[in-house]
Each structure stands twice: as C-alpha cells, then as structure tokens.
Amino acid sequence: MHKSLIRLGLVGVGKIAQDQHIPAIRGNPRFELVATASPHGSIEGIPAHADLAAMLAAPGGDAIDAVCLCTPPGVRAGLARMAIAAGRHVMLEKPPAASLSQVEALSRAARTAQISLMATWHSRETAAADAARAWLTGRQIAAVRIVWREDIRQWHPGQDWLLAAGGFGVFDPAINAFSLLTHILDGTLEVVAADLAVPANRVAPMEAKVTMLHDGQAPVTCDLSIAHPGTPQWDITIDTDAGTLRLSEGGHRLSIDDQPQTTDADGEYARLYARFAAMIDGGASEVDHRPLMLVADAMMVGHTRALPPFEF
Ligand code: NAP
C-alpha cells in the first residue's frame, strides 16, 4: 500500500533540532520538512517563521500534516494545544510538558481531535535498552543504582531556561534515566525521598539525590548532577537474582556481570520518526507520563538546600 508523505513543521530550532531531528527527518522518506517556527533559529532553504501561529497561517501552512515541538518544556503544552486544535499530528520532545496535568489535558485533546500525539523518550530507543528489558523480564530485582552526572556548561551551554521554573534543572537529563528505568523494568516505582540542591540565584535544582522503591521493596538510589565537570556518567546498575546488569553511556552500552554485550547499531531519532509515521498511519497515540511523574514526585517530597550562585 502506498503511504502518503507527511509534511512536517519543526518548532524550536535549537540544539536538539539541529543535532538530531533534522538529520532524522531528512533520513526518512516518509517526511518532508516544509517549514520551521523559532524566534531566531532557521534552516537554510526551509521557510522560517517566528512562531507556530505564523507558520500555520502562512501560505502553504494549511498543507502541514504534523509538527514536532523541540522548544524548552515551559512553552510546549501551549504550542501542542494550538497544533492539536488546528488538527495537526504532534510529536513532543521530552519532557512532554512542564506538568503532569498539562500532559493529561493534551492526551484528552488529542483523543477528541483524533490526531496522533507522540510523547518521545529518545533514550529508550537504543538496541541496548531493548536487550536490557528482555534480560530483566522475569528476574527478581534486588537493588538499582542510577548515576547521572554531567556538566551543564558542556551539554547545555547558556541554556538559562533549564535553571528557571519549568526548566527541570538536573532532571532535564535525569528524566532520560527515569525514561529508561520505567521502560526496562516491569513493576512499580515509588519516590520516597529526595534532596534537591538549588543555586541561590536560580529556581531549579542542579544536584539531586532521589530514593525510590521498586515493587515496594528494592531500593533505587539516584545520584544526579549537572555540576559534574569532566567525563559524564550516565549509568544504571541493576542487581538481580541472576547477576548484575549495567546500562551505561546513557543507555547505549549493556553489560551483564561486567561482560559487555553485543547489541545492534543505534538510531534513536530514526526510530522515533519511523514510529511517528506508523502511529499516524494507524491512527494511534503514545503518551507515557511515568518518567515525568517520578520527577514531579521528587520535587514534591524533596528537601531543598541552597548552593552558591551559578553563572554559565
Ligand atoms: P535549545 O538549544 O535552547 O533550543 C530550544 C529552541 O526553542 C531555542 O532555539 C528557541 O528558539 C526555541 N523556542 C523557544 N520558545 C519557542 C517558542 N515559543 N516557539 C518556537 N520556538 C521556541 O534547547 P535544546 O537543547 O534543543 O532542548 C530543547 C528540548 O529538547 C528540551 O526539552 C530538552 O530536554 C530536549 N532535548 C535536548 C537534548 C540536548 O542534548 N540538548 C537532547 C534530547 C532532548 P530561538 O533560538 O530561535 O530563540
């Protein structure tokens, strides 16, 4: 059966749009990038607009089938609502919105409008994550340790929004670990305690220690930082009744009892766009709010303490 071309508008032309989305869109023949909307950013050769409303209202705007929102999370829900109301399919970068209630409202709006809504979690789209999930299935979980530490100056240079309200701070990267954890483990995860360290001149935490329970029993400890100079650490270690599994390098490498496992080549964003096309074809949506719920709970139960002021 011939599958129709999906004409896509890209909203928010910043780091992740340039690094990942544009190559993935250009690598998938089901998509044609027809317009962008961003206050300053643009892509050579593609009609550029200052915002989503202008993009949809411009000549040719009514031919846009779908939009992908790559903005900071604080403005994402409002933009998604506008796109859904205009009948466009919507792909959301992670996190899907700045709050859980916004995610719930967007899911409902998408159902009513009968469009496809995809909340992406790019870290889940690796071959190592697939293999980890398969290996863990049916095993008894004894303990989980997450270490997710990186340098904001290297990975998010100048992104003041990340340390503002709704910017998630350390949870902007750490939600990737939570997206992996909720994907590879069956069973429940409950946040029981959190320690949040916030620079005196900012709002969002730069460091956090979070404790959870898996299935009400196994301890899950999380050591999270964006004030970690040098080599980043993006590791999840899971002790089970049959050995210890480690997902490292942000979900790209898998080892069992320190033995590296061979996995297929990765293609995180290529996989996301292939699934978005399949969802549009099948009239489906996919919105998993669990990683965001863990962040929200950490913020809810956490003690806050002050760090010295931070400037980039
Ligand atoms: P970024 O470099 O700051 O880019 C965000 C862009 O959104 C900015 O360039 C800004 O445009 C644009 N923007 C802001 N408000 C807008 C609005 N109302 N309408 C249209 N465009 C708007 O941030 P980023 O690193 O790409 O991160 C964006 C999202 O992707 C975040 O949710 C982040 O968690 C996620 N993400 C980032 C990475 C990463 O490695 N950086 C990886 C995976 C996911 P102008 O520059 O034109 O003003």
Side-chain angles (χ1 to χ4, degrees):
M1 192 183 79
H2 175 71
K3 303 265 178 62
S4 60
L5 189 67
I6 300 163
R7 288 155 301 194
L8 188 85
L10 186 62
V11 183
V13 183
K15 186 171 187 306
I16 197 60
Q18 299 278 6
D19 289 356
Q20 298 290 348
H21 286 265
I22 292 161
I25 295 162
R26 291 194 161 140
N28 186 326
R30 287 297 308 282
F31 290 93
E32 183 189 3
L33 182 58
V34 294
T36 63
S38 208
H40 306 97
S42 62
I43 302 165
E44 205 184 329
I46 305 292
H49 308 280
D51 57 39
L52 173 61
M55 184 174 88
L56 294 175
D62 53 358
I64 294 171
D65 302 302
V67 299
C68 176
L69 304 183
C70 299
T71 64
V75 295
R76 187 130 56 229
L79 295 169
R81 201 174 305 116
M82 184 187 294
I84 293 168
R88 299 334 199 265
H89 305 292
V90 178
M91 178 193 274
L92 305 167
E93 245 303 349
K94 49 95 340 195
S99 74
L100 285 167
S101 45
Q102 288 177 329
V103 176
E104 160 71 11
L106 292 179
S107 293
R108 228 188 256 202
R111 275 197 299 277
T112 305
Q114 296 185 309
I115 60 90
S116 292
L117 177 66
M118 181 187 194
T120 63
W121 299 109
H122 66 87
S123 296
R124 292 176 171 177
E125 303 291 337
T126 66
D130 291 343
R133 178 170 172 72
W135 189 85
L136 288 164
T137 300
R139 298 216 146 93
Q140 188 80 33
I141 308 303
V144 179
R145 293 176 295 287
I146 295 178
V147 179
W148 220 259
R149 300 173 63 84
E150 64 181 49
D151 183 356
I152 189 174
R153 291 190 172 96
Q154 180 182 356
W155 297 95
H156 306 277
Q159 292 182 353
D160 283 307
W161 61 262
L162 197 138
L163 293 170
F168 287 68
V170 67
F171 293 108
D172 177 84
I175 201 169
N176 295 331
F178 295 171
S179 75
L180 274 169
L181 197 64
T182 45
H183 179 62
I184 63 178
L185 284 185
D186 284 331
T188 58
L189 285 162
E190 301 163 53
V191 177
V192 291
D195 171 88
L196 310 169
V198 183
N201 60 340
R202 305 283 180 162
V203 175
M206 283 190 78
E207 296 185 317
K209 299 258 197 291
V210 181
T211 308
M212 307 181 201
L213 282 180
H214 175 257
D215 273 349
Q217 292 180 7
V220 179
T221 57
C222 311
D223 175 2
L224 316 172
S225 176
I226 48 174
H228 170 82
T231 311
Q233 295 172 273
W234 294 311
D235 303 323
I236 300 177
T237 307
I238 305 182
D239 298 331
T240 77
D241 57 342
T244 295
L245 174 145
R246 177 167 296 138
L247 261 181
S248 51
E249 297 180 30
H252 291 273
R253 297 277 169 271
L254 175 66
S255 68
I256 310 284
D257 291 334
D258 292 327
Q259 297 300 310
Q261 308 290 302
T262 310
T263 52
D264 295 338
D266 285 336
E268 284 177 85
Y269 281 80
R271 276 174 54 159
L272 287 176
Y273 275 92
R275 286 206 297 114
F276 189 40
M279 259 179 238
I280 293 171
D281 294 343
S285 286
E286 188 182 283
V287 183
D288 180 2
H289 68 281
R290 291 174 300 160
L292 184 60
M293 185 167 71
L294 297 175
V295 172
D297 280 1
M299 299 285 210
M300 204 140 55
V301 303
H303 290 268
T304 302
R305 63 189 165 82
L307 290 175
F310 173 82
E311 300 297 345
F312 279 96

